[in-house]
């Protein structure tokens, strides 16, 4: 009986350690992913022109009809600001799919195409005026 209690106590202790480590590991992975703008295939939106300042990134196939809830997170100019109407340049690191950037929510307004493997500092008419985007075919 004593042996069963010891095994049960050991199992519970190991389970508690694993349960407490899992969220920390998940947080570490999430934090690492947040800062991983320049990975192949991603779209990166930058606060500054010429891909400078803070940024936010999106994986292929992840469309966003309203950028208001996306925050520039890395340190640099624009950190903590919403990507909506604050994006001044973008890079499409995807080799096959273009991205369509639009000046209105829900893919409305003026829309422009960012070709695969291309970057763009927005002209004055589009400067700080992006509110949504979607991946093309």
């Amino acid at each position: 009986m004593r042996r069963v209690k010891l095994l049960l106590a050991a199992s519970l202790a190991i389970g508690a350690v694993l349960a407490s480590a899992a969220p920390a590991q998940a947080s570490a992975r999430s934090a690492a992913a947040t800062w991983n703008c320049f990975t192949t295939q991603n779209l990166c939106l930058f606060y500054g022109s010429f891909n400078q300042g803070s940024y936010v990134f999106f994986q292929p196939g992840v469309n966003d009809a309203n950028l208001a809830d996306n925050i520039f997170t890395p340190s640099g100019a624009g950190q903590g600001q919403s990507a909506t109407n604050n994006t001044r340049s973008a890079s499409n690191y995807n080799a096959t799919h273009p991205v369509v950037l639009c000046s209105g929510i829900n893919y409305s307004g003026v829309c422009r195409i960012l070709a695969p493997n291309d970057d763009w500092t927005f002209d004055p008419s589009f400067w700080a005026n992006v509110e949504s985007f979607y991946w093309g075919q």
Side-chain angles (χ1 to χ4, degrees), residues 78-89:
Q79 182 181 28
Q81 299 292 314
S82 169
T84 279
N85 293 326
N86 282 315
T87 299
R88 291 164 176 82
S89 59

Side-chain angles (χ1 to χ4, degrees), residues 46-130:
F46 294 88
Y47 179 82
S49 57
F50 303 103
N51 301 345
Q52 299 295 311
S54 194
Y55 55 83
V56 62
F57 86 94
F58 302 89
Q59 295 175 337
V62 176
N63 301 325
D64 200 324
N66 188 345
L67 291 169
D69 62 346
N70 295 280
I71 305 300
F72 294 117
T73 53
S75 62
Q79 182 181 28
Q81 299 292 314
S82 169
T84 279
N85 293 326
N86 282 315
T87 299
R88 291 164 176 82
S89 59
S91 286
N92 180 1
Y93 293 99
N94 191 287
T96 56
H97 298 288
V99 175
V100 180
L101 301 158
C102 300
S103 64
I105 61 169
N106 298 319
Y107 321 116
S108 65
V110 176
C111 296
R112 299 198 178 157
I113 297 171
L114 179 59
N117 288 326
D118 200 4
D119 60 355
W120 177 31
T121 292
F122 303 151
D123 58 59
S125 66
F126 217 60
W127 180 276
N129 199 25
V130 174

Side-chain angles (χ1 to χ4, degrees), residues 36-48:
N36 196 4
C37 183
F38 307 101
T39 298
T40 302
Q41 307 304 318
N42 288 335
L43 166 68
C44 301
L45 302 178
F46 294 88
Y47 179 82

